[in-house]
């Protein structure tokens, strides 16, 4: 095995990890504030991908319009889901929220099949996004470089938002203790809606990037990234934003290395590996790398 | 013990079901019998899931994984020996030559599933709530990958077809009765009350001397046993198997049945299972005529969300229909939860 091969694998891991981090951070933010495993998060990503498809390839708008659109549509959709399905049962047991999100996920997938057909559609970004560049001796497409850069920018912006703005502080207070936050005059539902909006916007953006990577989209495409985001969030410690980013990159690297370094016959065990890892981490390190042991998980 | 009103109700129910099965086997078409068969299998699966998920509070999505284990074990055991050579070349000699009948194969499938559950449950059951749910979801995906890769013994993603159609309605409704009887007796025994105690407050249960790790593992394995049996019956009803059939969609369907029936209510889950099977069969022609694929799933998902928003405890809560219950003074085992009541602590 040569150094170049290893470098190429590391870069692949970095790109994959960036997409995972983008989805996981929204997922973890929603969990942190309402203690909800939002199974429908991946399906927001799917809607983002289809919106990008419509704007870029059906209506022929430029790329910046698609980026704006996926951010907006993702945010509105996630807030809408929260408003209709989750807000009425804030005081119900946690598991009810999880089952509801499972229902929302199945609903969205099948609405997608009903309205858009289950057949995969080709999704081709403009040609310049797909040209290969030489980076330190490894090959990266423009899309991959953009993916990594955008993820870093978004995460920096998010960190500023959560730490430095009034709404960010309100969100953190709500995550810490909703009742106390309400007593301090924080509009808890608004803070929660903001968390859903941010998470949804990031999922929509990730949908655009994911679709560009995969080259095709279909209504069930959100399932795998949604689950991977969950795994990434668990690795990092669900509820912790830094942890989710860390978990996303770790999972990206682990997956790429698992496929890249083991003989090809093991490649088909990739998903089994990811879930084996998940179960192992839940058992050995139930609070993840950065999570706090404020509640019982195991 | 004198014969109570509930004995009469049970006897009447048994007579009605036997008469229905006899009628169905005698004069219904193959398609109608298959739909009835699925209703029965789903009812059995929902009962066992309501027992482990609803009553014990182990929110597992792993039922399809155990069905998968049972289905493949059963199918390999009953598969015609003369065709195993080229269909399943990787089978060891002692498996390649056997050709069992349905009943021992069903038992073997159930036991295999229970064993897998016991092994997997040992670490996984330390998790709770939605963490357990996702870990058991992982179990489905891990087992599917294993079966896909062991294609010499399972034909992998291609699917195993040509399984003998051994399952008839007598077998299905016989097993359904067995599942209901076992889970009912356990639910209304001291074991059932320990399980309910674990669901309501695990720490308090442990303080009262409930061996919670053992009790949870036992409930989980019992659920898995019936899932495995259901898998074997399913395989010998459909006569073909692919790992893809036992996925998230099926896990979701079973969870919906339990939620609608009432978590912990055995009869409630069975009724919900039967109603949902008939509903989706009734909608399927519409789906196909209109080309509206996904309609069935949409209706089911909307039903689930509406149920959780409007009546989160399900139709029956944790209780059973009153005409089937013995009137026992002070028995509160099946008390339904009131809407806002916390189930977890």
């Amino acid at each position: 095995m040569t150094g170049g091969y290893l470098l190429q694998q590391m870069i692949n891991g970095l790109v994959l990890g960036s997409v995972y981090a983008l989805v996981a951070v929204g997922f973890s933010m929603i969990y942190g504030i309402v203690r909800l495993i939002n199974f429908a998060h991946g399906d927001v990503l799917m809607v983002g991908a289809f919106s990008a498809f419509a704007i870029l390839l059906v209506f022929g708008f430029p790329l910046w319009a698609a980026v704006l659109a996926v951010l907006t549509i993702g945010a509105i959709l996630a807030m809408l889901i929260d408003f209709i399905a989750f807000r009425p049962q804030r005081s119900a047991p946690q598991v009810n929220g999880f089952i509801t999100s499972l229902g929302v996920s199945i609903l969205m997938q099948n609405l997608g099949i009903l309205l858009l057909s289950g057949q995969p559609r080709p999704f081709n970004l403009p040609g310049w996004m797909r040209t290969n560049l030489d980076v330190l001796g490894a090959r990266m497409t423009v899309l991959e470089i953009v993916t990594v850069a955008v993820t870093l920018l978004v995460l920096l912006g998010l960190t500023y938002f959560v730490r430095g703005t009034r709404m960010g502080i309100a969100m953190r207070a709500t995550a810490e203790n909703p009742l106390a936050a309400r007593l301090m005059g924080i509009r808890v539902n608004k803070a929660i809606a903001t968390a859903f909006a941010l998470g949804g916007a990031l999922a929509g953006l990730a949908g655009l990037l994911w679709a560009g990577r995969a080259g095709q989209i279909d209504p069930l495409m959100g399932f795998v990234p949604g689950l991977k985001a969950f795994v990434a969030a668990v690795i990092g410690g669900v509820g912790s934003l830094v942890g989710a980013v860390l978990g996303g990159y770790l999972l990206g690297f682990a997956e790429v290395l698992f496929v890249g370094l083991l003989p090809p016959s093991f490649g088909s065990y990739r998903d089994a590996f990811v879930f084996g890892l998940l179960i192992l981490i839940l058992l050995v390190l139930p609070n993840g790398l950065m999570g706090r042991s404020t509640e019982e998980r195991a | 013990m004198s014969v109570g009103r509930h004995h009469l109700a049970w006897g009447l129910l048994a007579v009605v079901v036997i008469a229905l099965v006899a009628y169905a086997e005698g004069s219904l078409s193959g398609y109608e019998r298959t739909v009835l068969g699925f209703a029965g299998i789903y009812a059995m699966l929902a009962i066992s899931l309501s027992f482990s998920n609803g009553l014990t509070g182990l929110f597992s999505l792993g039922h399809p994984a155990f069905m998968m284990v049972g289905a493949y074990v059963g199918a390999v055991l009953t598969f015609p020996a003369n065709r195993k050579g080229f269909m399943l070349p990787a089978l060891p000699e002692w498996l390649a030559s056997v050709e069992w009948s349905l009943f021992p194969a069903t038992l073997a499938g159930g036991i295999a599933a229970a064993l897998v559950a016991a092994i997997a449950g040992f670490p996984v059951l330390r998790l709770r709530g939605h963490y357990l749910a996702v870990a058991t979801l992982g179990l489905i995906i891990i087992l599917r990958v294993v079966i896909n890769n062991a294609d010499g013994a399972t034909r992998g993603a291609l699917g195993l077809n040509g399984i003998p159609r051994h399952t008839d309605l007598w077998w299905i409704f016989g097993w359904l009765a067995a599942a209901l009887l076992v889970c009912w007796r356990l639910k209304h025994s001291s074991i059932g009350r320990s399980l309910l105690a674990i669901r309501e407050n695990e720490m308090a249960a442990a303080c009262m001397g409930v061996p919670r790790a053992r009790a949870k593992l036992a409930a989980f394995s019992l659920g898995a046993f019936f899932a495995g049996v259901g898998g074997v019956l399913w395989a010998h009803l459909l006569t073909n198997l692919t790992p893809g059939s036992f996925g998230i969609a099926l896990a979701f369907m079973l969870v919906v049945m339990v939620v609608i029936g009432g978590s912990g209510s055995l009869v409630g889950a069975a009724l919900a299972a039967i109603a949902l099977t008939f509903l989706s069969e009734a909608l399927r022609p519409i789906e196909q005529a209109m080309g509206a694929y996904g309609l069935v799933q949409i209706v089911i998902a909307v039903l689930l969300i509406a149920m959780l928003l409007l009546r989160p405890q399900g139709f029956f809560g944790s209780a059973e229909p009153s005409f089937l219950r013995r009137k026992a003074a002070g028995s509160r085992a099946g008390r339904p939860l009131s809407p806002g009541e916390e189930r977890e602590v």
Side-chain angles (χ1 to χ4, degrees), chain A residues 40-210:
Chain A
H41 198 63
D43 301 292
V44 177
L45 181 150
M46 177 269 287
V47 173
F50 270 94
S51 318
F53 177 82
I55 303 239
L56 281 176
L57 302 170
V58 179
F59 298 119
F61 282 108
L63 192 62
W64 60 265
V67 171
L68 272 184
V70 293
L71 288 172
T72 320
I73 291 173
I76 292 176
L77 180 65
M79 278 199 292
L80 202 66
I81 294 174
D82 173 49
F83 186 76
I84 296 172
F86 300 133
R87 189 183 288 193
Q89 34 179 341
R90 290 261 197 268
S91 60
Q94 281 182 1
V95 165
N96 285 23
F98 174 78
I99 303 177
T100 308
S101 75
L102 208 59
V104 173
S105 169
I106 299 270
L107 181 64
M108 285 169 66
Q109 288 173 6
N110 286 287
L111 276 177
I113 293 176
L114 183 72
L115 302 174
L116 305 163
S117 114
Q119 292 298 321
R121 293 157 200 254
F123 183 95
N124 291 318
L125 286 173
W128 61 270
M129 293 287 280
R130 287 179 283 141
T131 47
N132 275 307
L133 294 181
D134 191 71
V135 181
L136 306 167
R139 287 194 319 155
M140 277 178 99
T141 62
V142 176
L143 173 69
E144 289 177 328
I145 297 172
V146 168
T147 303
V148 175
V150 161
T151 305
L152 287 178
L153 276 178
V154 162
L155 295 178
L156 282 177
L158 197 66
T159 311
Y160 168 73
F161 180 80
V162 171
R163 293 193 189 280
T165 63
R166 278 179 75 85
M167 183 45 90
I169 295 167
M171 280 168 56
R172 283 191 294 144
T174 308
E176 193 78 28
N177 187 335
L179 186 62
R182 178 166 288 152
L183 291 173
M184 294 299 116
I186 290 170
R187 292 171 65 187
V188 169
N189 272 329
K190 199 173 157 195
I192 293 174
T194 311
F196 270 93
L198 280 174
L202 296 189
L205 184 63
L208 172 62
L209 297 172
W210 188 282

Side-chain angles (χ1 to χ4, degrees), chain B residues 129-220:
Chain B
H130 38 221
Y131 288 89
L132 177 63
V134 182
T136 47
L137 199 64
L139 209 57
I140 298 180
I141 291 174
I142 292 172
L143 274 171
R144 180 190 295 174
V145 170
V146 168
I147 287 178
N148 272 336
N149 280 286
D151 49 358
T154 62
R155 288 183 65 79
L158 282 175
L160 180 60
N161 48 25
I163 303 165
R165 192 178 159 117
H166 284 327
T167 304
D168 60 18
L169 292 177
W170 292 110
W171 281 120
I172 292 173
F173 283 87
W175 273 109
L176 171 61
L180 183 59
L181 185 71
V182 169
C183 294
W184 180 283
R185 292 306 297 238
L186 283 175
K187 178 180 173 181
H188 296 97
S189 71
S190 63
I191 299 170
R193 286 187 287 278
S194 325
L195 296 176
L196 202 60
I198 291 174
R199 177 183 97 180
E200 294 298 321
N201 187 335
E202 193 163 339
M203 188 178 286
C207 293
M208 300 298 282
V210 174
R212 51 182 187 150
R214 221 187 314 157
K216 278 157 81 173
L217 199 60
F220 190 58

Side-chain angles (χ1 to χ4, degrees), chain B residues 66-67 69-71 73-74 77 103-117 175 221-232:
Chain B
F66 305 129
M67 290 172 67
V69 172
V73 167
L77 287 174
F103 184 66
T106 326
L107 278 183
I111 290 168
L115 273 178
V116 170
W175 273 109
S221 306
L222 183 78
F225 174 81
F226 285 115
V229 168
V232 182

